[in-house]
PDB file of all heavy atoms in Angstrom:
ATOM      1  N   TYR A  35     -39.734   0.943  10.479  1.00 58.00           N
ATOM      2  CA  TYR A  35     -38.545   0.505   9.758  1.00 58.00           C
ATOM      3  C   TYR A  35     -38.290   1.297   8.427  1.00 58.00           C
ATOM      4  O   TYR A  35     -37.199   1.638   8.010  1.00 58.00           O
ATOM      5  CB  TYR A  35     -38.476  -0.993   9.614  1.00 58.00           C
ATOM      6  CG  TYR A  35     -37.191  -1.560   9.064  1.00 58.00           C
ATOM      7  CD1 TYR A  35     -36.113  -1.733   9.855  1.00 58.00           C
ATOM      8  CD2 TYR A  35     -37.071  -1.916   7.734  1.00 58.00           C
ATOM      9  CE1 TYR A  35     -34.888  -2.267   9.428  1.00 58.00           C
ATOM     10  CE2 TYR A  35     -35.901  -2.498   7.247  1.00 58.00           C
ATOM     11  CZ  TYR A  35     -34.831  -2.643   8.048  1.00 58.00           C
ATOM     12  OH  TYR A  35     -33.638  -3.192   7.568  1.00 58.00           O
ATOM     13  N   PHE A  36     -39.428   1.464   7.713  1.00 58.00           N
ATOM     14  CA  PHE A  36     -39.362   1.993   6.334  1.00 58.00           C
ATOM     15  C   PHE A  36     -39.699   3.440   6.222  1.00 58.00           C
ATOM     16  O   PHE A  36     -39.428   4.109   5.130  1.00 58.00           O
ATOM     17  CB  PHE A  36     -40.215   1.165   5.404  1.00 58.00           C
ATOM     18  CG  PHE A  36     -39.678  -0.261   5.079  1.00 58.00           C
ATOM     19  CD1 PHE A  36     -40.336  -1.358   5.550  1.00 58.00           C
ATOM     20  CD2 PHE A  36     -38.462  -0.349   4.450  1.00 58.00           C
ATOM     21  CE1 PHE A  36     -39.856  -2.572   5.270  1.00 58.00           C
ATOM     22  CE2 PHE A  36     -37.926  -1.642   4.218  1.00 58.00           C
ATOM     23  CZ  PHE A  36     -38.618  -2.796   4.613  1.00 58.00           C
ATOM     24  N   ILE A 130     -33.204  -3.006  -8.020  1.00 89.00           N
ATOM     25  CA  ILE A 130     -31.994  -3.862  -8.131  1.00 89.00           C
ATOM     26  C   ILE A 130     -31.004  -3.367  -9.126  1.00 89.00           C
ATOM     27  O   ILE A 130     -29.749  -3.420  -8.900  1.00 89.00           O
ATOM     28  CB  ILE A 130     -32.526  -5.255  -8.490  1.00 89.00           C
ATOM     29  CG1 ILE A 130     -33.318  -5.881  -7.280  1.00 89.00           C
ATOM     30  CG2 ILE A 130     -31.344  -6.240  -8.871  1.00 89.00           C
ATOM     31  CD1 ILE A 130     -34.081  -7.201  -7.656  1.00 89.00           C
ATOM     32  N   VAL A 133     -29.178  -0.510  -7.613  1.00 89.00           N
ATOM     33  CA  VAL A 133     -28.155  -0.965  -6.649  1.00 89.00           C
ATOM     34  C   VAL A 133     -26.923  -1.393  -7.517  1.00 89.00           C
ATOM     35  O   VAL A 133     -25.698  -1.112  -7.148  1.00 89.00           O
ATOM     36  CB  VAL A 133     -28.593  -2.078  -5.770  1.00 89.00           C
ATOM     37  CG1 VAL A 133     -27.496  -2.718  -4.968  1.00 89.00           C
ATOM     38  CG2 VAL A 133     -29.686  -1.587  -4.849  1.00 89.00           C
ATOM     39  N   PHE A 157     -17.746  -5.991  -4.067  1.00 93.00           N
ATOM     40  CA  PHE A 157     -18.207  -6.674  -2.969  1.00 93.00           C
ATOM     41  C   PHE A 157     -17.938  -5.937  -1.654  1.00 93.00           C
ATOM     42  O   PHE A 157     -18.834  -5.886  -0.760  1.00 93.00           O
ATOM     43  CB  PHE A 157     -17.582  -8.095  -2.907  1.00 93.00           C
ATOM     44  CG  PHE A 157     -17.979  -8.880  -1.633  1.00 93.00           C
ATOM     45  CD1 PHE A 157     -19.168  -9.579  -1.653  1.00 93.00           C
ATOM     46  CD2 PHE A 157     -17.166  -8.978  -0.535  1.00 93.00           C
ATOM     47  CE1 PHE A 157     -19.562 -10.341  -0.556  1.00 93.00           C
ATOM     48  CE2 PHE A 157     -17.492  -9.678   0.583  1.00 93.00           C
ATOM     49  CZ  PHE A 157     -18.684 -10.473   0.552  1.00 93.00           C
ATOM     50  N   THR A 160     -20.255  -2.717  -1.529  1.00 91.00           N
ATOM     51  CA  THR A 160     -21.727  -3.018  -1.302  1.00 91.00           C
ATOM     52  C   THR A 160     -21.949  -3.547   0.154  1.00 91.00           C
ATOM     53  O   THR A 160     -22.953  -3.337   0.725  1.00 91.00           O
ATOM     54  CB  THR A 160     -22.142  -4.138  -2.333  1.00 91.00           C
ATOM     55  OG1 THR A 160     -21.850  -3.583  -3.703  1.00 91.00           O
ATOM     56  CG2 THR A 160     -23.620  -4.403  -2.188  1.00 91.00           C
ATOM     57  N   SER A 161     -21.015  -4.380   0.634  1.00 92.00           N
ATOM     58  CA  SER A 161     -21.096  -4.924   1.974  1.00 92.00           C
ATOM     59  C   SER A 161     -21.251  -3.854   3.073  1.00 92.00           C
ATOM     60  O   SER A 161     -21.905  -3.942   3.973  1.00 92.00           O
ATOM     61  CB  SER A 161     -19.960  -5.914   2.284  1.00 92.00           C
ATOM     62  OG  SER A 161     -19.964  -6.993   1.388  1.00 92.00           O
ATOM     63  N   VAL A 163     -22.384  -0.760   2.748  1.00 86.00           N
ATOM     64  CA  VAL A 163     -23.749  -0.118   2.682  1.00 86.00           C
ATOM     65  C   VAL A 163     -24.778  -1.110   3.264  1.00 86.00           C
ATOM     66  O   VAL A 163     -25.709  -0.765   3.944  1.00 86.00           O
ATOM     67  CB  VAL A 163     -24.099   0.243   1.229  1.00 86.00           C
ATOM     68  CG1 VAL A 163     -25.484   0.849   1.219  1.00 86.00           C
ATOM     69  CG2 VAL A 163     -23.056   1.170   0.670  1.00 86.00           C
ATOM     70  N   LEU A 164     -24.670  -2.405   2.965  1.00 89.00           N
ATOM     71  CA  LEU A 164     -25.652  -3.421   3.380  1.00 89.00           C
ATOM     72  C   LEU A 164     -25.599  -3.398   4.974  1.00 89.00           C
ATOM     73  O   LEU A 164     -26.662  -3.577   5.517  1.00 89.00           O
ATOM     74  CB  LEU A 164     -25.199  -4.781   2.817  1.00 89.00           C
ATOM     75  CG  LEU A 164     -26.087  -5.986   3.385  1.00 89.00           C
ATOM     76  CD1 LEU A 164     -27.550  -5.785   3.078  1.00 89.00           C
ATOM     77  CD2 LEU A 164     -25.568  -7.235   2.741  1.00 89.00           C
ATOM     78  N   MET A 165     -24.474  -3.323   5.578  1.00 86.00           N
ATOM     79  CA  MET A 165     -24.321  -3.483   7.025  1.00 86.00           C
ATOM     80  C   MET A 165     -25.235  -2.446   7.729  1.00 86.00           C
ATOM     81  O   MET A 165     -26.007  -2.718   8.599  1.00 86.00           O
ATOM     82  CB  MET A 165     -22.897  -3.409   7.513  1.00 86.00           C
ATOM     83  CG  MET A 165     -22.147  -4.615   7.194  1.00 86.00           C
ATOM     84  SD  MET A 165     -22.615  -5.998   8.229  1.00 86.00           S
ATOM     85  CE  MET A 165     -21.874  -5.406   9.801  1.00 86.00           C
ATOM     86  N   TYR A 166     -25.009  -1.160   7.385  1.00 79.00           N
ATOM     87  CA  TYR A 166     -25.733  -0.122   8.159  1.00 79.00           C
ATOM     88  C   TYR A 166     -27.182   0.035   7.668  1.00 79.00           C
ATOM     89  O   TYR A 166     -28.117   0.360   8.460  1.00 79.00           O
ATOM     90  CB  TYR A 166     -25.054   1.262   8.089  1.00 79.00           C
ATOM     91  CG  TYR A 166     -25.099   2.021   6.763  1.00 79.00           C
ATOM     92  CD1 TYR A 166     -26.181   2.627   6.329  1.00 79.00           C
ATOM     93  CD2 TYR A 166     -23.885   2.130   6.004  1.00 79.00           C
ATOM     94  CE1 TYR A 166     -26.180   3.360   5.150  1.00 79.00           C
ATOM     95  CE2 TYR A 166     -23.919   2.886   4.869  1.00 79.00           C
ATOM     96  CZ  TYR A 166     -25.001   3.463   4.430  1.00 79.00           C
ATOM     97  OH  TYR A 166     -24.961   4.202   3.235  1.00 79.00           O
ATOM     98  N   SER A 167     -27.517  -0.422   6.396  1.00 79.00           N
ATOM     99  CA  SER A 167     -28.884  -0.438   5.964  1.00 79.00           C
ATOM    100  C   SER A 167     -29.636  -1.563   6.641  1.00 79.00           C
ATOM    101  O   SER A 167     -30.848  -1.380   7.007  1.00 79.00           O
ATOM    102  CB  SER A 167     -29.006  -0.691   4.433  1.00 79.00           C
ATOM    103  OG  SER A 167     -28.313   0.335   3.749  1.00 79.00           O
ATOM    104  N   PHE A 168     -29.018  -2.683   6.937  1.00 81.00           N
ATOM    105  CA  PHE A 168     -29.634  -3.864   7.630  1.00 81.00           C
ATOM    106  C   PHE A 168     -30.039  -3.431   9.060  1.00 81.00           C
ATOM    107  O   PHE A 168     -31.198  -3.798   9.367  1.00 81.00           O
ATOM    108  CB  PHE A 168     -28.632  -4.965   7.631  1.00 81.00           C
ATOM    109  CG  PHE A 168     -29.153  -6.260   8.206  1.00 81.00           C
ATOM    110  CD1 PHE A 168     -29.825  -7.157   7.599  1.00 81.00           C
ATOM    111  CD2 PHE A 168     -28.908  -6.469   9.602  1.00 81.00           C
ATOM    112  CE1 PHE A 168     -30.302  -8.338   8.176  1.00 81.00           C
ATOM    113  CE2 PHE A 168     -29.398  -7.606  10.217  1.00 81.00           C
ATOM    114  CZ  PHE A 168     -30.089  -8.532   9.505  1.00 81.00           C
ATOM    115  N   PHE A 169     -29.187  -2.855   9.735  1.00 76.00           N
ATOM    116  CA  PHE A 169     -29.529  -2.531  11.130  1.00 76.00           C
ATOM    117  C   PHE A 169     -30.295  -1.362  11.306  1.00 76.00           C
ATOM    118  O   PHE A 169     -31.118  -1.133  12.268  1.00 76.00           O
ATOM    119  CB  PHE A 169     -28.181  -2.447  11.979  1.00 76.00           C
ATOM    120  CG  PHE A 169     -27.500  -3.692  12.123  1.00 76.00           C
ATOM    121  CD1 PHE A 169     -26.385  -4.072  11.376  1.00 76.00           C
ATOM    122  CD2 PHE A 169     -28.003  -4.673  12.986  1.00 76.00           C
ATOM    123  CE1 PHE A 169     -25.721  -5.254  11.511  1.00 76.00           C
ATOM    124  CE2 PHE A 169     -27.294  -5.949  13.165  1.00 76.00           C
ATOM    125  CZ  PHE A 169     -26.181  -6.148  12.483  1.00 76.00           C
ATOM    126  N   MET A 325     -26.894   4.261  -3.042  1.00 83.00           N
ATOM    127  CA  MET A 325     -27.097   2.797  -2.967  1.00 83.00           C
ATOM    128  C   MET A 325     -28.007   2.473  -1.744  1.00 83.00           C
ATOM    129  O   MET A 325     -28.918   1.615  -1.886  1.00 83.00           O
ATOM    130  CB  MET A 325     -25.777   2.017  -2.848  1.00 83.00           C
ATOM    131  CG  MET A 325     -25.920   0.579  -2.876  1.00 83.00           C
ATOM    132  SD  MET A 325     -24.440  -0.409  -2.547  1.00 83.00           S
ATOM    133  CE  MET A 325     -23.394   0.034  -3.925  1.00 83.00           C
ATOM    134  N   ASP A 326     -27.819   3.107  -0.606  1.00 79.00           N
ATOM    135  CA  ASP A 326     -28.663   2.747   0.533  1.00 79.00           C
ATOM    136  C   ASP A 326     -30.155   2.983   0.350  1.00 79.00           C
ATOM    137  O   ASP A 326     -30.982   2.178   0.758  1.00 79.00           O
ATOM    138  CB  ASP A 326     -28.148   3.369   1.779  1.00 79.00           C
ATOM    139  CG  ASP A 326     -28.167   4.924   1.878  1.00 79.00           C
ATOM    140  OD1 ASP A 326     -28.970   5.514   1.121  1.00 79.00           O
ATOM    141  OD2 ASP A 326     -27.313   5.531   2.543  1.00 79.00           O
ATOM    142  N   MET A 328     -31.654   2.924  -2.536  1.00 83.00           N
ATOM    143  CA  MET A 328     -32.190   1.885  -3.565  1.00 83.00           C
ATOM    144  C   MET A 328     -32.398   0.582  -2.736  1.00 83.00           C
ATOM    145  O   MET A 328     -33.435  -0.155  -2.974  1.00 83.00           O
ATOM    146  CB  MET A 328     -31.114   1.738  -4.631  1.00 83.00           C
ATOM    147  CG  MET A 328     -30.906   2.866  -5.476  1.00 83.00           C
ATOM    148  SD  MET A 328     -32.154   3.124  -6.634  1.00 83.00           S
ATOM    149  CE  MET A 328     -31.502   4.475  -7.670  1.00 83.00           C
ATOM    150  N   ILE A 329     -31.480   0.248  -1.923  1.00 88.00           N
ATOM    151  CA  ILE A 329     -31.594  -1.040  -1.163  1.00 88.00           C
ATOM    152  C   ILE A 329     -32.879  -0.994  -0.284  1.00 88.00           C
ATOM    153  O   ILE A 329     -33.586  -1.912  -0.181  1.00 88.00           O
ATOM    154  CB  ILE A 329     -30.326  -1.360  -0.344  1.00 88.00           C
ATOM    155  CG1 ILE A 329     -29.152  -1.683  -1.289  1.00 88.00           C
ATOM    156  CG2 ILE A 329     -30.575  -2.436   0.623  1.00 88.00           C
ATOM    157  CD1 ILE A 329     -27.872  -1.745  -0.480  1.00 88.00           C
ATOM    158  N   ASN A 330     -32.987   0.138   0.435  1.00 80.00           N
ATOM    159  CA  ASN A 330     -34.089   0.204   1.422  1.00 80.00           C
ATOM    160  C   ASN A 330     -35.461   0.200   0.784  1.00 80.00           C
ATOM    161  O   ASN A 330     -36.381  -0.484   1.231  1.00 80.00           O
ATOM    162  CB  ASN A 330     -33.929   1.545   2.269  1.00 80.00           C
ATOM    163  CG  ASN A 330     -34.879   1.584   3.351  1.00 80.00           C
ATOM    164  OD1 ASN A 330     -35.926   2.346   3.263  1.00 80.00           O
ATOM    165  ND2 ASN A 330     -34.642   0.914   4.491  1.00 80.00           N
ATOM    166  N   THR A 331     -35.570   0.825  -0.385  1.00 81.00           N
ATOM    167  CA  THR A 331     -36.859   0.885  -1.047  1.00 81.00           C
ATOM    168  C   THR A 331     -37.165  -0.436  -1.742  1.00 81.00           C
ATOM    169  O   THR A 331     -38.329  -0.859  -1.717  1.00 81.00           O
ATOM    170  CB  THR A 331     -36.874   2.087  -2.157  1.00 81.00           C
ATOM    171  OG1 THR A 331     -36.589   3.284  -1.451  1.00 81.00           O
ATOM    172  CG2 THR A 331     -38.278   2.143  -2.753  1.00 81.00           C
ATOM    173  N   GLY A 332     -36.177  -1.068  -2.338  1.00 86.00           N
ATOM    174  CA  GLY A 332     -36.330  -2.375  -2.876  1.00 86.00           C
ATOM    175  C   GLY A 332     -36.838  -3.411  -1.805  1.00 86.00           C
ATOM    176  O   GLY A 332     -37.768  -4.237  -2.042  1.00 86.00           O
ATOM    177  N   ALA A 333     -36.165  -3.295  -0.650  1.00 87.00           N
ATOM    178  CA  ALA A 333     -36.617  -4.184   0.521  1.00 87.00           C
ATOM    179  C   ALA A 333     -38.002  -3.840   1.005  1.00 87.00           C
ATOM    180  O   ALA A 333     -38.822  -4.744   1.395  1.00 87.00           O
ATOM    181  CB  ALA A 333     -35.615  -3.985   1.596  1.00 87.00           C
ATOM    182  N   LEU A 334     -38.332  -2.532   0.965  1.00 82.00           N
ATOM    183  CA  LEU A 334     -39.765  -2.148   1.281  1.00 82.00           C
ATOM    184  C   LEU A 334     -40.777  -2.836   0.456  1.00 82.00           C
ATOM    185  O   LEU A 334     -41.776  -3.470   0.963  1.00 82.00           O
ATOM    186  CB  LEU A 334     -39.879  -0.642   1.212  1.00 82.00           C
ATOM    187  CG  LEU A 334     -41.323  -0.034   1.282  1.00 82.00           C
ATOM    188  CD1 LEU A 334     -41.934  -0.337   2.641  1.00 82.00           C
ATOM    189  CD2 LEU A 334     -41.175   1.453   0.966  1.00 82.00           C
ATOM    190  N   LEU A 336     -40.329  -5.582  -1.514  1.00 89.00           N
ATOM    191  CA  LEU A 336     -40.219  -7.057  -1.376  1.00 89.00           C
ATOM    192  C   LEU A 336     -40.917  -7.539  -0.169  1.00 89.00           C
ATOM    193  O   LEU A 336     -41.596  -8.486  -0.174  1.00 89.00           O
ATOM    194  CB  LEU A 336     -38.712  -7.440  -1.391  1.00 89.00           C
ATOM    195  CG  LEU A 336     -38.435  -8.885  -1.387  1.00 89.00           C
ATOM    196  CD1 LEU A 336     -39.041  -9.548  -2.676  1.00 89.00           C
ATOM    197  CD2 LEU A 336     -36.967  -9.176  -1.428  1.00 89.00           C
ATOM    198  N   SER A 337     -40.819  -6.765   0.911  1.00 87.00           N
ATOM    199  CA  SER A 337     -41.323  -7.304   2.203  1.00 87.00           C
ATOM    200  C   SER A 337     -42.855  -6.900   2.339  1.00 87.00           C
ATOM    201  O   SER A 337     -43.627  -7.808   2.752  1.00 87.00           O
ATOM    202  CB  SER A 337     -40.554  -6.678   3.443  1.00 87.00           C
ATOM    203  OG  SER A 337     -40.558  -5.250   3.368  1.00 87.00           O
ATOM    204  N   VAL A 355     -40.406  -6.608  10.657  1.00 80.00           N
ATOM    205  CA  VAL A 355     -39.113  -5.957  10.782  1.00 80.00           C
ATOM    206  C   VAL A 355     -38.049  -6.932  10.319  1.00 80.00           C
ATOM    207  O   VAL A 355     -37.065  -6.636   9.604  1.00 80.00           O
ATOM    208  CB  VAL A 355     -38.857  -5.476  12.237  1.00 80.00           C
ATOM    209  CG1 VAL A 355     -37.421  -4.976  12.333  1.00 80.00           C
ATOM    210  CG2 VAL A 355     -39.823  -4.355  12.578  1.00 80.00           C
ATOM    211  N   PHE A 356     -38.145  -8.204  10.751  1.00 86.00           N
ATOM    212  CA  PHE A 356     -37.170  -9.235  10.430  1.00 86.00           C
ATOM    213  C   PHE A 356     -37.213  -9.556   8.849  1.00 86.00           C
ATOM    214  O   PHE A 356     -36.132  -9.568   8.233  1.00 86.00           O
ATOM    215  CB  PHE A 356     -37.525 -10.548  11.115  1.00 86.00           C
ATOM    216  CG  PHE A 356     -36.639 -11.738  10.755  1.00 86.00           C
ATOM    217  CD1 PHE A 356     -35.361 -11.845  11.156  1.00 86.00           C
ATOM    218  CD2 PHE A 356     -37.148 -12.720   9.975  1.00 86.00           C
ATOM    219  CE1 PHE A 356     -34.515 -12.894  10.799  1.00 86.00           C
ATOM    220  CE2 PHE A 356     -36.401 -13.792   9.511  1.00 86.00           C
ATOM    221  CZ  PHE A 356     -35.098 -13.863   9.930  1.00 86.00           C
ATOM    222  N   VAL A 357     -38.384  -9.621   8.297  1.00 88.00           N
ATOM    223  CA  VAL A 357     -38.591  -9.793   6.877  1.00 88.00           C
ATOM    224  C   VAL A 357     -37.918  -8.658   6.120  1.00 88.00           C
ATOM    225  O   VAL A 357     -37.361  -8.791   5.090  1.00 88.00           O
ATOM    226  CB  VAL A 357     -40.030  -9.958   6.483  1.00 88.00           C
ATOM    227  CG1 VAL A 357     -40.247 -10.016   4.944  1.00 88.00           C
ATOM    228  CG2 VAL A 357     -40.602 -11.284   7.134  1.00 88.00           C
ATOM    229  N   GLY A 358     -38.145  -7.355   6.668  1.00 84.00           N
ATOM    230  CA  GLY A 358     -37.553  -6.227   6.008  1.00 84.00           C
ATOM    231  C   GLY A 358     -36.029  -6.313   5.926  1.00 84.00           C
ATOM    232  O   GLY A 358     -35.380  -5.932   4.896  1.00 84.00           O
ATOM    233  N   LYS A 359     -35.385  -6.819   7.026  1.00 87.00           N
ATOM    234  CA  LYS A 359     -33.934  -6.974   7.014  1.00 87.00           C
ATOM    235  C   LYS A 359     -33.435  -8.042   6.147  1.00 87.00           C
ATOM    236  O   LYS A 359     -32.426  -7.835   5.429  1.00 87.00           O
ATOM    237  CB  LYS A 359     -33.536  -7.305   8.510  1.00 87.00           C
ATOM    238  CG  LYS A 359     -33.698  -6.175   9.530  1.00 87.00           C
ATOM    239  CD  LYS A 359     -33.186  -6.496  10.934  1.00 87.00           C
ATOM    240  CE  LYS A 359     -33.359  -5.304  11.850  1.00 87.00           C
ATOM    241  NZ  LYS A 359     -32.840  -5.684  13.206  1.00 87.00           N
ATOM    242  N   ILE A 360     -34.160  -9.184   6.031  1.00 91.00           N
ATOM    243  CA  ILE A 360     -33.815 -10.211   5.065  1.00 91.00           C
ATOM    244  C   ILE A 360     -33.954  -9.727   3.663  1.00 91.00           C
ATOM    245  O   ILE A 360     -33.130  -9.964   2.758  1.00 91.00           O
ATOM    246  CB  ILE A 360     -34.667 -11.465   5.272  1.00 91.00           C
ATOM    247  CG1 ILE A 360     -34.416 -12.026   6.679  1.00 91.00           C
ATOM    248  CG2 ILE A 360     -34.379 -12.513   4.216  1.00 91.00           C
ATOM    249  CD1 ILE A 360     -32.985 -12.395   7.018  1.00 91.00           C
ATOM    250  N   SER A 361     -35.039  -8.931   3.372  1.00 91.00           N
ATOM    251  CA  SER A 361     -35.188  -8.382   2.079  1.00 91.00           C
ATOM    252  C   SER A 361     -34.058  -7.386   1.701  1.00 91.00           C
ATOM    253  O   SER A 361     -33.713  -7.303   0.562  1.00 91.00           O
ATOM    254  CB  SER A 361     -36.586  -7.600   2.009  1.00 91.00           C
ATOM    255  OG  SER A 361     -37.610  -8.442   2.284  1.00 91.00           O
ATOM    256  N   THR A 362     -33.687  -6.659   2.648  1.00 90.00           N
ATOM    257  CA  THR A 362     -32.452  -5.779   2.457  1.00 90.00           C
ATOM    258  C   THR A 362     -31.281  -6.534   1.897  1.00 90.00           C
ATOM    259  O   THR A 362     -30.545  -6.048   1.023  1.00 90.00           O
ATOM    260  CB  THR A 362     -32.183  -5.111   3.779  1.00 90.00           C
ATOM    261  OG1 THR A 362     -33.208  -4.268   4.191  1.00 90.00           O
ATOM    262  CG2 THR A 362     -30.954  -4.146   3.629  1.00 90.00           C
ATOM    263  N   VAL A 363     -30.984  -7.704   2.534  1.00 92.00           N
ATOM    264  CA  VAL A 363     -29.870  -8.516   2.136  1.00 92.00           C
ATOM    265  C   VAL A 363     -30.098  -8.970   0.675  1.00 92.00           C
ATOM    266  O   VAL A 363     -29.221  -8.959  -0.177  1.00 92.00           O
ATOM    267  CB  VAL A 363     -29.685  -9.742   3.034  1.00 92.00           C
ATOM    268  CG1 VAL A 363     -28.605 -10.612   2.530  1.00 92.00           C
ATOM    269  CG2 VAL A 363     -29.319  -9.303   4.448  1.00 92.00           C
ATOM    270  N   VAL A 364     -31.283  -9.442   0.405  1.00 94.00           N
ATOM    271  CA  VAL A 364     -31.573 -10.003  -0.967  1.00 94.00           C
ATOM    272  C   VAL A 364     -31.410  -8.993  -2.041  1.00 94.00           C
ATOM    273  O   VAL A 364     -30.768  -9.261  -3.051  1.00 94.00           O
ATOM    274  CB  VAL A 364     -33.097 -10.509  -0.951  1.00 94.00           C
ATOM    275  CG1 VAL A 364     -33.471 -10.881  -2.381  1.00 94.00           C
ATOM    276  CG2 VAL A 364     -33.237 -11.746  -0.061  1.00 94.00           C
ATOM    277  N   ILE A 365     -31.955  -7.709  -1.846  1.00 93.00           N
ATOM    278  CA  ILE A 365     -31.819  -6.727  -2.859  1.00 93.00           C
ATOM    279  C   ILE A 365     -30.359  -6.290  -3.052  1.00 93.00           C
ATOM    280  O   ILE A 365     -29.924  -6.192  -4.291  1.00 93.00           O
ATOM    281  CB  ILE A 365     -32.626  -5.442  -2.390  1.00 93.00           C
ATOM    282  CG1 ILE A 365     -34.127  -5.716  -2.230  1.00 93.00           C
ATOM    283  CG2 ILE A 365     -32.409  -4.230  -3.403  1.00 93.00           C
ATOM    284  CD1 ILE A 365     -34.759  -6.190  -3.532  1.00 93.00           C
ATOM    285  N   ALA A 366     -29.598  -6.197  -1.971  1.00 93.00           N
ATOM    286  CA  ALA A 366     -28.147  -5.871  -2.167  1.00 93.00           C
ATOM    287  C   ALA A 366     -27.438  -6.875  -2.898  1.00 93.00           C
ATOM    288  O   ALA A 366     -26.586  -6.574  -3.737  1.00 93.00           O
ATOM    289  CB  ALA A 366     -27.589  -5.665  -0.775  1.00 93.00           C
ATOM    290  N   LEU A 367     -27.674  -8.177  -2.574  1.00 93.00           N
ATOM    291  CA  LEU A 367     -26.954  -9.250  -3.205  1.00 93.00           C
ATOM    292  C   LEU A 367     -27.270  -9.325  -4.661  1.00 93.00           C
ATOM    293  O   LEU A 367     -26.348  -9.569  -5.608  1.00 93.00           O
ATOM    294  CB  LEU A 367     -27.225 -10.587  -2.534  1.00 93.00           C
ATOM    295  CG  LEU A 367     -26.658 -10.729  -1.133  1.00 93.00           C
ATOM    296  CD1 LEU A 367     -26.949 -12.079  -0.546  1.00 93.00           C
ATOM    297  CD2 LEU A 367     -25.103 -10.524  -1.178  1.00 93.00           C
ATOM    298  N   LEU A 368     -28.532  -9.215  -4.992  1.00 93.00           N
ATOM    299  CA  LEU A 368     -28.896  -9.261  -6.501  1.00 93.00           C
ATOM    300  C   LEU A 368     -28.317  -8.154  -7.294  1.00 93.00           C
ATOM    301  O   LEU A 368     -27.845  -8.318  -8.411  1.00 93.00           O
ATOM    302  CB  LEU A 368     -30.460  -9.249  -6.582  1.00 93.00           C
ATOM    303  CG  LEU A 368     -31.229 -10.450  -6.136  1.00 93.00           C
ATOM    304  CD1 LEU A 368     -32.771 -10.218  -6.222  1.00 93.00           C
ATOM    305  CD2 LEU A 368     -30.871 -11.701  -7.006  1.00 93.00           C
ATOM    306  N   GLY A 369     -28.334  -6.901  -6.665  1.00 91.00           N
ATOM    307  CA  GLY A 369     -27.680  -5.852  -7.393  1.00 91.00           C
ATOM    308  C   GLY A 369     -26.198  -6.044  -7.572  1.00 91.00           C
ATOM    309  O   GLY A 369     -25.625  -5.764  -8.637  1.00 91.00           O
ATOM    310  N   LEU A 370     -25.559  -6.549  -6.538  1.00 93.00           N
ATOM    311  CA  LEU A 370     -24.141  -6.933  -6.628  1.00 93.00           C
ATOM    312  C   LEU A 370     -23.810  -7.917  -7.732  1.00 93.00           C
ATOM    313  O   LEU A 370     -22.844  -7.722  -8.529  1.00 93.00           O
ATOM    314  CB  LEU A 370     -23.605  -7.430  -5.333  1.00 93.00           C
ATOM    315  CG  LEU A 370     -22.167  -7.918  -5.196  1.00 93.00           C
ATOM    316  CD1 LEU A 370     -21.170  -6.737  -5.517  1.00 93.00           C
ATOM    317  CD2 LEU A 370     -21.856  -8.534  -3.900  1.00 93.00           C
ATOM    318  N   LEU A 371     -24.628  -8.925  -7.831  1.00 90.00           N
ATOM    319  CA  LEU A 371     -24.421  -9.997  -8.824  1.00 90.00           C
ATOM    320  C   LEU A 371     -24.474  -9.386 -10.234  1.00 90.00           C
ATOM    321  O   LEU A 371     -23.667  -9.752 -11.077  1.00 90.00           O
ATOM    322  CB  LEU A 371     -25.465 -11.133  -8.701  1.00 90.00           C
ATOM    323  CG  LEU A 371     -25.236 -12.050  -7.457  1.00 90.00           C
ATOM    324  CD1 LEU A 371     -26.424 -12.990  -7.351  1.00 90.00           C
ATOM    325  CD2 LEU A 371     -23.956 -12.841  -7.561  1.00 90.00           C
TER     326      LEU A 371
END
Side-chain angles (χ1 to χ4, degrees):
Y35 188 76
F36 289 115
I130 290 169
V133 173
F157 176 80
T160 305
S161 297
V163 181
L164 174 59
M165 284 290 288
Y166 71 75
S167 298
F168 179 87
F169 290 104
M325 188 188 293
D326 60 26
M328 298 281 188
I329 292 174
N330 187 258
T331 305
L334 168 63
L336 188 58
S337 58
V355 173
F356 175 75
V357 172
K359 290 182 176 181
I360 298 302
S361 299
T362 297
V363 175
V364 171
I365 298 299
L367 290 180
L368 289 175
L370 176 62
L371 289 174

